[in-house]
Amino acid sequence: MSTAVLFKNARLLDPLLGELQEDRDILVEQGLVKEISDRPISTSAARVIDVKGKTVMPGLIDLHVHVVAVELNLARQVHMPNVLVTLRSVPILRGMLRRGFTTVRDAGGAGFAFKQAVESGLAQGPRLFVSGRALSQTGGHGDMRARSDHMGDPTCACCVRVGALARVVDGVDAVRKAAREELQMGADQIKIMASGGVASPTDPVGAFGYCEDEIRAIVDEARARGTYVLAHAYTAAAIARAVRCGVRTIEHGNLVDAPTATLMAQAGAFAVPTLVTYDALASEGESYGLPQESVAKVADVREAGLRSLEIFKAAGVKMGFGSDLLGESQRLQSNEFRLRAEVLSAAEAVASATVVGAEVLGMSDRLGRLVPGALADLLVVDGNPLADVSCLLGQGERIPLVMKEGVIQFDELQ
Ligand code: ZN
Ligand code: ZN
């Protein structure tokens, strides 16, 4: 339950201004930031926490996770029993929240039931924006069938395999219906596979996913429900095609070039790089069961990742924070900050996981900044993330308190 809490003497981090404001009192009431003042706030709050010397910042937002990716080998987990996948996702959700991610966008796999489980308190985890199952063409990034398997799609709408992050669907009418189904089942936004990928068996990274008519039909359906499409895409050609068809956020984007980044900026499209997943796949993928055909594809995109940040930045493309980790590697989520800070400033890395994330989710007035009226998603941090992101790394060791919507989730300040 949410009770009133007063944080005293905070160094308040504002990611929009990229600065710390000293000696602030922050009053949280009924799940919201009620008041912020540079004078002492007098209150009858149930709890007063003196955070002198510590930073208070908004909760982090990861725009690209897969909470049901319980294994690195995605083809194998498709056949795992639904109950097992679901139960194994519970500690994954909790780990994200412990690392300070109070909101995540699931980029394929989690559906409405996961939101219900978290919102009801059954599972402890971040606020979820779910995509349901991602849409993939036959032979695309979401098609986990082996080359020798010519049976139909093992999934169907009436019998969802929880371990499948995607569903295979082809043709303008069929993708239109699939998008409607995912929206009817509670998807907040629609995810498509618009190019080949790494963790799938038969699709080259350079392949296109879907023809333009199919992408436009899916974008139409999302817009008709007041939402948008996010697209997995690596190459400049695949990114440009998706953006021209109305896709709003480009996931990964490693092989972007300058003209394509300019096109994105002009269209108001966002990039969600996910550098940490290539690091993880390269360093520990094989040992955790990534198939050989995927190991070979990691190198194609990994090196280009850091360079893509420079290209996006130069063109003025807004970048959200993504991680896209699978299985055992999910614990490395916060390392994305470290990789970004190699190319961008620490303040830019922090902005990607707060204000930019909130903008992508259409929640700029509620998330990403601690201002009166915002949802009280709040972290107490030992250190200044604007100077050095290392205090955000690991498993929350330097984040002694995590609050989500006014409720303290983890607390080592007692
Ligand atoms: Zn992807
Ligand atoms: Zn992904």
Side-chain angles (χ1 to χ4, degrees):
M1 221 187 76
S2 161
T3 49
V5 180
L6 176 66
F7 295 91
K8 291 189 76 67
N9 303 312
R11 293 154 75 199
L12 176 63
L13 188 157
D14 186 334
L16 189 67
L17 305 175
E19 65 178 32
L20 294 179
Q21 295 157 348
E22 296 291 336
D23 295 322
R24 291 297 194 272
D25 276 15
I26 304 160
L27 179 63
V28 169
E29 244 179 56
Q30 292 178 327
L32 302 177
V33 177
K34 170 90 173 170
E35 186 183 350
I36 296 177
S37 177
D38 56 2
R39 306 249 181 106
I41 298 175
S42 60
T43 168
S44 56
R47 185 150 172 224
V48 177
I49 305 175
D50 190 338
V51 288
K52 190 155 189 61
K54 298 190 187 338
T55 302
V56 171
M57 69 176 292
L60 302 169
I61 301 169
D62 189 333
L63 292 173
H64 195 122
V65 303
H66 299 281
V67 304
V68 300
V70 300
E71 295 238 334
L72 252 97
N73 188 329
L74 294 178
R76 197 166 64 198
Q77 78 156 47
V78 170
H79 304 288
M80 200 179 282
N82 287 354
V83 173
L84 193 57
V85 176
T86 308
L87 289 174
R88 284 180 63 178
S89 72
V90 172
I92 291 175
L93 284 163
R94 186 175 191 274
M96 289 175 179
L97 188 61
R98 181 65 196 90
R99 289 186 285 271
F101 291 90
T102 48
T103 300
V104 301
R105 186 180 65 171
D106 192 282
F112 189 67
F114 281 85
K115 283 178 76 138
Q116 287 179 299
V118 171
E119 282 170 15
S120 68
L122 178 64
Q124 191 181 21
R127 177 180 300 101
L128 288 168
F129 286 79
V130 298
S131 306
R133 286 172 296 159
L135 309 186
S136 166
Q137 69 165 55
T138 290
H141 180 47
D143 189 342
M144 294 297 159
R145 293 170 293 185
R147 289 191 199 283
S148 53
D149 181 2
H150 297 287
M151 306 293 282
D153 178 4
T155 65
C156 70
C158 60
C159 174
V160 173
R161 279 192 188 275
V162 177
L165 274 54
R167 59 192 287 189
V168 175
V169 57
D170 297 283
V172 171
D173 289 348
V175 297
R176 197 180 277 286
K177 184 168 183 209
R180 288 176 182 173
E181 283 174 351
E182 294 301 335
L183 291 163
Q184 187 272 335
M185 288 190 280
D188 293 298
Q189 61 280 320
I190 295 294
K191 165 78 178 294
I192 66 167
M193 304 304 195
S195 85
V198 173
S200 40
T202 63
D203 53 323
V205 166
F208 285 155
Y210 285 127
C211 68
E212 296 196 17
D213 286 348
E214 289 169 315
I215 299 176
R216 285 184 207 280
I218 298 165
V219 168
D220 270 358
E221 292 302 323
R223 284 182 179 162
R225 287 280 282 229
T227 186
Y228 67 92
V229 173
L230 60 150
H232 159 109
Y234 281 115
T235 59
I239 295 167
R241 219 169 60 108
V243 169
R244 278 198 304 270
C245 292
V247 166
R248 180 159 173 266
T249 79
I250 295 294
E251 309 300 302
H252 321 303
N254 299 42
L255 304 172
V256 71
D257 59 17
T260 305
T262 300
L263 175 75
M264 286 177 69
Q266 285 166 350
F270 294 82
V272 181
T274 61
L275 305 180
V276 66
T277 199
Y278 312 105
D279 240 41
L281 291 174
S283 63
E284 58 185 36
E286 233 174 331
S287 61
Y288 286 124
L290 188 73
Q292 196 51 50
E293 58 269 26
S294 292
V295 173
K297 289 198 275 188
V298 173
D300 295 349
V301 295
R302 183 174 176 227
E303 291 296 305
L306 287 172
R307 173 102 183 93
S308 74
L309 298 186
E310 291 170 359
I311 296 171
F312 286 132
K313 182 179 176 180
V317 177
K318 290 185 188 173
M319 283 178 270
F321 181 102
S323 56
D324 197 27
L325 290 160
L326 311 173
E328 302 288 339
S329 304
Q330 297 249 13
R331 73 186 192 289
L332 303 173
Q333 184 177 24
S334 304
N335 281 358
E336 180 74 18
F337 284 112
R338 181 175 56 74
L339 291 164
R340 293 203 183 195
E342 287 176 18
V343 177
L344 310 171
S345 69
E348 285 170 307
V350 169
S352 74
T354 50
V355 280
V356 180
E359 190 179 352
V360 166
L361 297 172
M363 296 283 286
S364 289
D365 55 340
R366 307 284 276 168
L367 297 175
R369 272 182 100 197
L370 295 173
V371 291
L375 293 171
D377 286 8
L378 170 162
L379 314 178
V380 176
V381 181
D382 275 321
N384 175 7
L386 296 177
D388 181 356
V389 294
S390 61
C391 52
L392 300 177
L393 307 187
Q395 307 306 313
E397 290 86 352
R398 293 177 67 186
I399 308 176
L401 185 140
V402 177
M403 173 182 267
K404 189 183 81 172
E405 214 159 324
V407 179
I408 295 174
Q409 302 285 335
F410 299 97
D411 182 8
E412 289 163 9
L413 295 174
Q414 287 264 32

